[in-house]
């Protein structure tokens, strides 16, 4: 017969912590008493009583001058208040996962929310949870929850906070969660089933599915163990729930090829060993997936400050992340030790059920607690990355967090990298505070790990990237090719545009079909523009660009819109001694001769007109060959404008 022991059989870390706390207190000079069994296992309670740790069920029965041990299931807030009023010393053995639920419901109740607990109303853990909020509703399953929701329509509108007993099953919890999610408009849902419980139940079901019989070890009053047996029965025809080895009868498993053994979270190792030994007495061939000695060694494995350890996230509270390390210590990561990034959200960094590698900061063997840090372990790894980056000339990315007189500070993987002002890539004298919160790429140039000093250069990376882009531009450039560029600077005669590592110039005449005096009338520094190549000189590294659309011929637009004799509203663009030029359409100007500006003699055009002024004119002549247009204001005033003759030379600027 093959005998297989489940890997997760026996004490969970919460139960182990509670028992070890009680055992340590048994050696203290001051007597201590359990307020209710510290765990659900009579054998453990009897052992503690032999050590001098008594047990009472009511506060009134407490002996005088003794300390009080709060059981792993926890107690309601009122119990703590009464004990404090009595002046009693409290040794709190409440499981950290249960304590997390206490905090959830306490905060929810304080915000006026209706707390709903999925669990057994008579279970001490559930009673304790209810004791941390006002008017909690407790339901065993979805059927009871349905009755509550159907009772009053207003129950659907209530702000509900839903939690579960830690030892519940997903078979019970999942339908309740989905029901509330679907029907309640203002619900908070917390999956508070203990990860260790889930793991134990999953392994037990998997083992039951491949064995002819299952032995489930644990106290008959233990909810955890009872549910374990129920789950096993759904997969295996022969399931026996026993408390001790004495209850085991070999006839139970006679003729069975394989027997699986699992144990509830409150079952101590010595009882599992008793069952194992008794099975060995009548079994010739025995396979244990994980020996009891190995399990025992793992359960008492010590932790030391500075150790790197891997655990499983079992809970997330407002102040910390709970981690099951598989040892006798309850591990937790303060939120401040989770990440260096102050903007990071906890839910984006860790999730319940995930493995997490951490660094041990402190170990408290007395309380069975280990303070962990993910941030510090990440820092060690990140220093390795920084040092490697220097050797391999790797480009790193970071966020600018501050600036000072000498330069800027960049956060690269949680490590401060100083970039001198000359290496930021910004012009001399520029305001470096503009770079704060920008993401930059840099190369590390100097590292001194012992002094925690790192120096980098943004300019070096930018220069290399720009050189590479420039080489690509010059390799593929050709007349007429279009580029998307950024305006880098403006001069009186044009604009310089970066087309990807190379600057080209757009002459003022190529910025627009309209007559403009200053490039700033059309573009600004930083604008994204579409340009095309007019000409280029690879030797002199000069590129002439155009921006106005050459596919649109302004003359064609003009001639298709206007004829001789038509009137138009035009803009005066330039005043000359002999007249004024006016823009009819962008790219086509006409001349208003000085004799055609007014119905009386004037000394100069500026006496009547000014640049930028909009005026109505009559088109008196169109020279299609030379693309010249004559305009007249006087013709619209009833004068002889269109009949007056002008010297053609006066048309030229």
């Amino acid at each position: 017969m093959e005998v297989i022991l489940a890997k997760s059989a026996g004490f969970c870390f919460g139960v182990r912590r509670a028992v070890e706390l009680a055992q340590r207190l048994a050696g203290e000079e001051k007597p201590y008493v359990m307020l209710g069994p510290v765990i659900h296992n009579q054998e453990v309670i009897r052992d503690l009583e032999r050590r001098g740790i008594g047990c009472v069920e009511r506060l009134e029965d407490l002996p005088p001058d003794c300390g009080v041990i709060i059981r792993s299931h926890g107690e309601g807030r009122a119990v703590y208040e009464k004990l404090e009023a009595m002046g009693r010393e409290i040794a709190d053995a409440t499981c950290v996962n249960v304590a997390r639920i206490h905090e959830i419901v306490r905060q929810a109740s304080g915000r006026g929310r209706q707390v709903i607990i999925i669990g057994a109303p008579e279970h001490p853990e559930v009673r304790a949870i209810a004791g941390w909020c006002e008017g909690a509703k407790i339901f065993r399953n979805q059927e009871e929850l349905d009755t509550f929701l159907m009772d009053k329509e207003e129950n659907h509108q209530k702000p509900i906070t839903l939690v579960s007993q830690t030892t519940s099953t997903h078979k019970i919890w999942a339908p309740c969660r989905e029901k509330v999610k679907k029907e309640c408009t203002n619900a908070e849902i917390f999956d508070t089933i203990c990860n260790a419980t889930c793991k134990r139940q999953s392994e037990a079901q998997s083992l039951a599915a491949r064995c002819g019989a299952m032995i489930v070890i644990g106290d008959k009053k233990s909810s955890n163990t009872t549910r374990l047996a129920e789950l096993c029965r759904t997969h295996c025809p022969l399931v026996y729930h026993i408390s001790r080895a004495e209850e085991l009868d070999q006839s139970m498993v006679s003729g069975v090829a394989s027997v699986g053994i699992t144990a509830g979270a409150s079952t101590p190792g010595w009882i599992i060993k008793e069952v194992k030994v008794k099975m060995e007495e009548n079994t010739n061939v025995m396979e244990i997936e994980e020996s009891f000695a190995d399990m025992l060694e793992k359960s008492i494995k010590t932790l030391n400050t500075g150790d790197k350890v891997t655990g499983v996230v079992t809970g997330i509270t407002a102040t910390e992340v709970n981690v099951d390390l598989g040892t006798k210590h309850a591990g937790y990561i303060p939120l401040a030790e989770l990440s260096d990034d102050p903007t990071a959200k906890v839910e984006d960094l860790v999730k319940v059920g995930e493995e997490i590698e951490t660094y041990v900061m402190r170990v408290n063997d007395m309380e069975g607690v280990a303070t962990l840090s993910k941030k510090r372990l990440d820092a060690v790894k990140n220093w390795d990355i920084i040092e490697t980056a220097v050797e391999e000339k790797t480009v790193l990315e970071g966020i600018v967090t501050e600036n000072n007189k000498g330069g800027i500070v960049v956060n690269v993987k949680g490590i401060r990298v100083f970039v001198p002002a000359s290496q930021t890539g910004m012009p001399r004298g520029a305001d470096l505070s503009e770079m704060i919160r920008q993401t930059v790429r840099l190369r590390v140039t100097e590292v001194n790990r012992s002094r925690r000093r790192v120096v980098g250069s943004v300019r070096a990376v930018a220069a290399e990237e720009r050189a590479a882009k420039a080489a690509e531009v010059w390799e593929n450039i050709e007349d007429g090719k279009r580029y998307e560029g950024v305006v880098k600077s403006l001069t009186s005669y044009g604009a310089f545009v970066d087309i990807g590592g190379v600057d080209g110039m757009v002459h003022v005449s190529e910025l627009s079909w309209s007559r403009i005096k200053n490039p700033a009338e059309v573009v600004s520094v930083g604008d994204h523009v579409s340009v095309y190549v007019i000409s280029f000189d690879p030797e002199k590294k000069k590129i002439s660009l155009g921006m106005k659309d050459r596919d649109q011929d302004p003359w064609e637009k003009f001639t298709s819109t206007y004829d001789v004799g038509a009137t138009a509203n035009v803009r005066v663009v330039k005043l000359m001694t002999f007249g004024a030029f006016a823009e009819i359409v962008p790219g086509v100007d006409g001349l208003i001769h000085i004799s055609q500006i007014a119905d009386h003699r004037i000394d100069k055009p500026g006496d009547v007109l000014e640049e930028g002024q909009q005026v109505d004119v009559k088109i008196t002549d169109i020279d299609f060959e030379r693309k010249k247009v004559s305009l007249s204001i006087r013709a619209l005033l009833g004068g002889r404008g269109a009949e007056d003759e002008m010297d053609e030379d006066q048309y030229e600027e």
Side-chain angles (χ1 to χ4, degrees), residues 490 508 511-514 516 518-524 527 529 547:
L490 301 178
V508 65
L511 283 169
S512 171
W513 284 110
S514 297
I516 61 174
N518 193 309
E521 296 178 35
V522 180
V523 293
S524 301
D527 283 354
V529 295
M547 202 174 85

Side-chain angles (χ1 to χ4, degrees), residues 73 76 190 235 363 413 442 457 532 590 599 634:
H73 297 112
F190 295 89
H235 299 277
V363 179
K413 298 183 179 299
L442 57 81
S457 172
Y532 53 88
D599 57 1
R634 181 179 177 184

Side-chain angles (χ1 to χ4, degrees), residues 415-426:
I415 295 174
R416 289 167 55 90
V417 179
F418 175 69
V419 179
S422 62
Q423 296 300 314
T424 60
M426 296 283 280

